[in-house]
Amino acid sequence: MAFRNFLRSTAAVALVCSAGASFAEPLKIALVETLSGPQASTGLFYRNGVIYGIGKINAEGGFGGEPVELLEYDNQGGPVGAADRVRAAISDGANIIIQGSSSAVAGQITEDVRKYNLRNRGNEVVYINVGGAAMELTGAKCHDYHFRMTPNAEIIVNALLEGMKEDGALGENVYAINQNYSWGVDVQNSTLAAADSLGFEVVEQTLHEVNKIQDFSPYVARIKESGADTVITGNWSNDLLLLMKAAGGAGLDVRFGTAFLDQPGNIGNAGAIADGHFVATSFNPEVNPEKSTAFVEDYKSVIGHYPTYVEPQGIFGMMLLKEALKSVEPTEDGLAADDLVAALEQATVETPMGTMTMRADDHQGRLPMVVQKVSRDAVYKADESEFGFVPVKVLSAEEAEQPVQDSCKM
């Protein structure tokens, strides 16, 4: 009810779920996200964060005094679907494309936007990436009109490993299991790169198909046989849910270090075996509670639950976009993409976690990180269980930042 009332009260947010309609509003934002299929368990959470963020933009006057319109397109979890939906969104007049779930999809979208902009000088669109964390997106595939609002693989893995090391939980023998595409390979490589400096050995590495495995029991058996005391994984969506389910069913006695353990269902699937597992993200409500409490309560009043999983990074990205739009004046044709690019490069916003900015050199967002551990002591519980996530290490944006990649040529 609260969610429906919020949309009514910010009637400026119009949800268009097909490519058949076109309106002449000054600013249209297209969400090209996975809204059906196995990966929808992630895509729908990004959708929540974007809807909340656009509601805040419209509550403060929209863009140029007119409401921002949100159009939704289901990319069905794949690059081909994403390419079709990006074309439809641009045809419908979208000025900004937003997407988060899957670096493979992000790679397709950023290339489609780059090519479109080369062909349409003066009528460019901007891609706001709220979740695709593969290194190449701000590396070899970087360009002026792509902005990553989420930490990349190197930022996440380094924060995670450092936090686990400081907590005395990293161990000496690490098993790396990841999805076999750009993001998973980056997590594996970042884990390997940190082994010497943090004093552990990667005893085995596994790359597996993405969202096609229904039973992870054979992989859990291999982890047991390897003698690992820690598992580092970048798995997400069904691949993490099913991995945790298999680990819980087998009573696997290892620590997990993850990027997405806070995905709803993971703690419920793993049960008590999840106690002591780790995740590195951009938000924990127990950090800066004087600010975080107001934020999570407001979000719950709108969406119906406390912000979780990938929602905060979507929200924070929209906060930076909102701040940038304040310094952009509409033209006769609406939004000038180059004006927004310049504004985003200069924007600064205070999130509940701290200061967030955008690095102009590669358009990698600079934001704080928090390493957290599953514990019964958590204030906010997960999956209606007795467990939640307690912060063990907080890194400022400056501390979490990793160098610009040599392959990025803006």
Side-chain angles (χ1 to χ4, degrees):
M1 182 64 72
F3 178 61
R4 291 197 297 270
N5 288 341
F6 173 75
L7 289 183
R8 292 192 188 105
S9 67
T10 58
V13 180
L15 303 179
V16 179
C17 299
S18 69
S22 180
F23 300 89
E25 308 297 340
L27 177 58
K28 294 182 181 181
I29 296 178
L31 177 68
V32 181
E33 192 49 85
T34 305
L35 304 177
S36 64
Q39 292 175 201
S41 57
T42 293
L44 293 172
F45 282 94
Y46 280 117
R47 177 181 181 267
N48 288 341
V50 170
I51 287 176
Y52 177 82
I54 290 182
K56 293 299 181 183
I57 293 174
N58 284 334
E60 295 187 13
F63 176 66
E66 295 292 332
V68 173
E69 181 180 338
L70 176 63
L71 303 92
E72 294 184 12
Y73 303 82
D74 183 3
N75 66 46
Q76 300 177 323
V80 174
D84 291 340
R85 302 310 182 271
V86 166
R87 285 193 293 270
I90 293 174
S91 177
D92 289 345
N95 308 101
I96 298 170
I97 307 292
I98 299 179
Q99 177 268 342
S101 57
S102 175
S103 290
V105 172
Q108 179 69 52
I109 291 177
T110 196
E111 186 64 5
D112 288 345
V113 166
R114 185 187 69 83
K115 289 179 178 178
Y116 171 83
N117 288 344
L118 287 173
R119 297 192 302 267
N120 295 272
R121 293 296 190 187
N123 193 34
E124 295 90 350
V125 297
V126 174
Y127 170 35
I128 303 295
N129 170 10
V130 294
M135 298 298 292
E136 65 179 4
L137 298 172
T138 48
K141 288 189 174 182
C142 76
H143 61 84
D144 288 336
Y145 299 94
H146 164 265
F147 291 85
R148 173 153 48 201
M149 303 293 191
T150 186
N152 64 29
E154 191 174 40
I155 293 171
I156 294 169
V157 172
N158 278 276
L160 174 67
L161 295 173
E162 289 174 14
M164 293 179 72
K165 179 74 171 182
E166 287 188 19
D167 199 60
L170 183 55
E172 297 181 355
N173 298 314
V174 169
Y175 192 111
I177 179 169
N178 291 283
Q179 296 153 316
N180 191 12
Y181 75 113
S182 54
W183 155 251
V185 172
D186 287 340
V187 172
Q188 177 176 281
N189 290 342
S190 295
T191 303
L192 288 166
D196 288 343
S197 62
L198 292 179
F200 65 86
E201 177 186 358
V202 178
V203 294
E204 191 169 340
Q205 309 160 51
T206 294
L207 293 171
H208 61 77
E209 290 184 293
V210 181
N211 283 313
K212 292 183 179 180
I213 298 167
Q214 299 303 311
D215 180 10
F216 275 84
S217 297
Y219 294 94
V220 169
R222 287 175 62 180
I223 293 170
K224 271 188 173 182
E225 292 169 2
S226 73
D229 40 39
T230 304
V231 173
I232 301 298
T233 180
N235 280 18
W236 59 281
S237 199
N238 267 20
D239 283 340
L240 184 56
L241 289 168
L242 294 176
L243 176 60
M244 297 310 299
K245 183 177 181 179
L252 183 63
D253 185 21
V254 300
R255 285 175 297 275
F256 274 80
T258 76
F260 299 111
L261 188 60
D262 54 343
Q263 178 183 354
N266 282 329
I267 303 304
N269 275 335
I273 198 171
D275 192 12
H277 289 352
F278 288 78
V279 62
T281 71
S282 55
F283 180 69
N284 181 290
E286 295 186 34
V287 177
N288 301 327
E290 67 283 357
K291 295 181 180 179
S292 293
T293 300
F295 164 64
V296 300
E297 292 296 343
D298 184 67
Y299 188 82
K300 184 179 181 182
S301 73
V302 173
I303 301 298
H305 61 256
Y306 290 125
T308 187
Y309 189 29
V310 298
E311 289 172 321
Q313 62 198 49
I315 298 165
F316 298 160
M318 298 306 295
M319 288 173 65
L320 196 71
L321 174 62
K322 177 165 71 73
E323 190 63 26
L325 286 172
K326 291 178 181 179
S327 61
V328 176
E329 291 294 330
T331 67
E332 291 183 358
D333 298 322
L335 175 72
D338 286 344
D339 292 345
L340 179 58
V341 168
L344 281 168
E345 290 180 343
Q346 298 298 317
T348 297
V349 68
E350 289 299 320
T351 78
M353 289 286 295
T355 303
M356 177 180 179
T357 60
M358 179 59 59
R359 188 164 64 188
D361 292 338
D362 59 354
H363 290 177
Q364 169 63 56
R366 302 169 72 244
L367 68 168
M369 293 291 294
V370 55
V371 182
Q372 43 204 309
K373 178 169 62 175
V374 177
S375 171
R376 290 181 174 89
D377 297 332
V379 175
Y380 297 86
K381 306 300 184 183
D383 298 340
E384 300 181 348
S385 72
E386 59 183 318
F387 297 99
F389 298 90
V390 296
V392 299
K393 182 178 177 64
V394 179
L395 297 89
S396 68
E398 292 75 19
E399 291 170 331
E401 187 176 18
Q402 297 295 322
V404 177
Q405 299 171 73
D406 292 339
S407 57
C408 177
K409 310 295 181 185
M410 296 290 284

